[in-house]
Amino acid sequence: MTKVYYEDAVTTNELEGKTIAILGYGSQGHAHAQNLRDNGNQVIIGVRKGKSADAASKDGFDVYPVFEATKKADIVMVLAPDEVQGKLYQEEIEPNLVDGNALVFAHGFNIHFDVIVPPKNVDVFLVAPKGPGHLVRRTFVEGFAVPALFAVYQDATGKAREVALSYAKGIGATRVGVLETTFKEETETDLFGEQAVLCGGTTHLVQAGFETLVEAGYQPEIAYFEVLHELKLIVDLMYEGGMEKMRYSISNTAEYGDYVSGPRIVTSETKAHMKEVLADIQSGKFAKDFVADNANGFKEFHRMREEQKGHQIEKVGAELRAMMPFVKKDA
Ligand code: NDP
Ligand code: MG
Ligand code: MG
């Protein structure tokens, strides 16, 4: 079993006396900044003018342009969108890094795929919460946390690991557990998870199920409840107690159907496709395509986004959710 780090495994605060610049004040940025501040650390924000900058000022932070925040800081956490980080790094971050600074990420993408090549004289590590930023903040306030991974890519000071663990503790993650990984492992498993299962796999499974019912003449509203709304309730049970708890909770009819029909849906062919998706991630093809589309104004990305928005399940869902205000959460 891999080692899990909790509160008492991190005995010194390597962030003490240091200025931490959080670059970006979006989903992850606002959560890291506020959690670190609540734990007594010195935090400033580096972000361009606009909505995020206004929000950070309103939340009581000193806000600077990225280059200036980088210059003022000892620890620089890069929480701009992944596709923005390469240019931002070249123009505003790299020229302002000095000996012994820490360059930190919440996802290994740009370092692992060589979009960002850091200088040798700085520590480079990642602290990646395994959950959306709004939960990183909400659970912290509730006295809890989202678990996180950390990895050291480069140790210039001889203390990179300790600083990384202190950062993980600073955002609250050691309350529930922090695991060590590598940039390669974090990046490739994160991309695979979101593409094959969590996001891509799930949305397309739900849509295909919805289409199958609607094409067979069933009411779209009923189909929505059966394949989307109820999914949360099932996933919650899996989250709490694995497949076993979920299967214990459902009817015997549902459990029997799970065993006989599940393998007809996710077949050896599906798994072969998963291996192809993983191979494209490992070879850098996915990253290359993503970066190239971004350089092209995200044409393909925006086309796919529009196409997906138009799916019937989205319209039906919006109407039904308007009648179920209780399903809405602000995170
Ligand atoms: P968001 O899109 O939520 O926020 C990005 C922030 O960067 C915004 O404040 C945005 O400001 C700012 N920004 C965008 N462009 C620039 C620019 N050119 N110069 C300065 N600031 C800019 O990003 P996320 O929080 O989702 O992602 C940040 C990192 O965290 C990524 O590496 C991601 O992979 C990682 N991560 C994200 C998770 C998540 O839950 N979202 C989970 C784990 C890791 P503005 O309002 O002006 O656009
Ligand atoms: Mg991800
Ligand atoms: Mg049922």
Side-chain angles (χ1 to χ4, degrees):
M1 175 83 190
T2 187
K3 184 170 163 60
V4 183
Y5 296 82
Y6 296 102
E7 296 287 87
D8 54 6
V10 189
T11 49
T12 56
N13 182 10
E14 298 294 337
L15 311 180
E16 206 176 308
K18 293 184 177 154
T19 299
I20 306 163
I22 303 292
L23 306 184
Y25 198 74
S27 177
Q28 288 292 320
H30 87 285
H32 289 230
Q34 294 181 31
N35 292 5
L36 286 163
R37 180 174 65 181
D38 286 355
N39 272 333
N41 300 292
Q42 166 68 27
V43 180
I44 59 174
I45 308 299
V47 72
R48 61 179 177 187
K49 285 203 161 62
K51 243 175 60 189
S52 293
D54 296 346
S57 302
K58 201 167 145 260
D59 291 339
F61 287 104
D62 291 333
V63 182
Y64 304 94
V66 168
F67 76 91
E68 206 175 329
T70 305
K71 212 178 268 182
K72 286 183 186 293
D74 307 291
I75 296 169
V76 178
M77 175 48 128
V78 188
L79 294 176
D82 293 312
E83 70 276 12
V84 167
Q85 291 180 11
K87 191 157 173 271
L88 200 61
Y89 175 78
Q90 274 183 11
E91 292 174 354
E92 299 196 53
I93 303 173
E94 186 175 27
N96 296 300
L97 292 173
V98 298
D99 268 9
N101 280 175
L103 180 65
V104 193
F105 298 88
H107 181 30
F109 189 97
N110 286 295
I111 292 285
H112 180 60
F113 292 118
D114 296 322
V115 180
I116 292 175
V117 181
K120 289 282 167 232
N121 60 345
V122 301
D123 289 346
V124 181
F125 59 84
L126 68 78
V127 178
K130 290 288 103 182
H134 294 90
L135 281 184
V136 173
R137 181 57 186 164
R138 195 208 295 167
T139 53
F140 179 90
V141 172
E142 291 167 354
F144 203 58
V146 165
L149 307 180
F150 81 100
V152 175
Y153 178 78
Q154 187 169 287
D155 184 6
T157 63
K159 288 213 131 182
R161 241 177 132 262
E162 285 73 24
V163 184
L165 279 165
S166 289
Y167 189 98
K169 187 173 186 172
I171 61 168
T174 46
R175 292 176 181 176
V176 294
V178 173
L179 276 69
E180 186 161 10
T181 181
T182 60
F183 271 62
K184 173 179 163 60
E185 185 175 62
E186 187 278 335
T187 304
E188 293 175 355
T189 57
D190 183 81
L191 292 174
F192 178 79
E194 64 203 17
Q195 292 177 27
V197 181
L198 306 178
C199 308
T202 303
T203 54
H204 287 75
L205 180 69
V206 166
Q207 285 174 354
F210 178 84
E211 288 166 11
T212 303
L213 287 174
V214 172
E215 284 164 19
Y218 299 102
Q219 298 177 66
E221 292 78 8
I222 303 289
Y224 175 87
F225 278 112
E226 290 299 340
V227 303
L228 191 150
H229 182 82
E230 277 194 56
L231 184 59
K232 174 185 162 37
L233 314 174
I234 295 297
V235 170
D236 280 350
L237 292 167
M238 281 166 51
Y239 176 86
E240 287 164 23
M243 311 281 178
E244 192 182 338
K245 179 164 182 185
M246 185 276 283
R247 284 168 170 159
Y248 168 79
S249 187
I250 60 180
S251 65
N252 284 339
T253 330
E255 186 180 352
Y256 180 84
D258 171 337
Y259 301 138
V260 298
S261 298
R264 297 175 66 191
I265 303 300
V266 179
T267 61
S268 55
E269 204 188 324
T270 315
K271 199 163 153 194
H273 288 307
M274 284 188 174
K275 289 186 176 172
E276 288 168 20
V277 167
L278 182 60
D280 282 353
I281 291 167
Q282 291 169 326
S283 71
K285 182 187 184 301
F286 170 79
K288 197 166 140 251
D289 291 350
F290 179 66
V291 169
D293 190 45
N294 179 47
N296 192 31
F298 263 157
K299 271 208 192 94
E300 185 60 10
F301 186 23
H302 293 146
R303 184 194 64 73
M304 294 187 290
R305 181 182 275 168
E306 286 314 307
E307 182 181 296
Q308 290 291 312
K309 263 189 197 162
H311 196 283
Q312 189 187 3
I313 196 170
E314 292 291 85
K315 273 198 217 93
V316 174
E319 286 166 16
L320 288 171
R321 287 190 302 272
M323 300 188 293
M324 300 185 287
F326 60 88
V327 301
K328 256 224 167 102
K329 280 221 181 94
D330 51 26

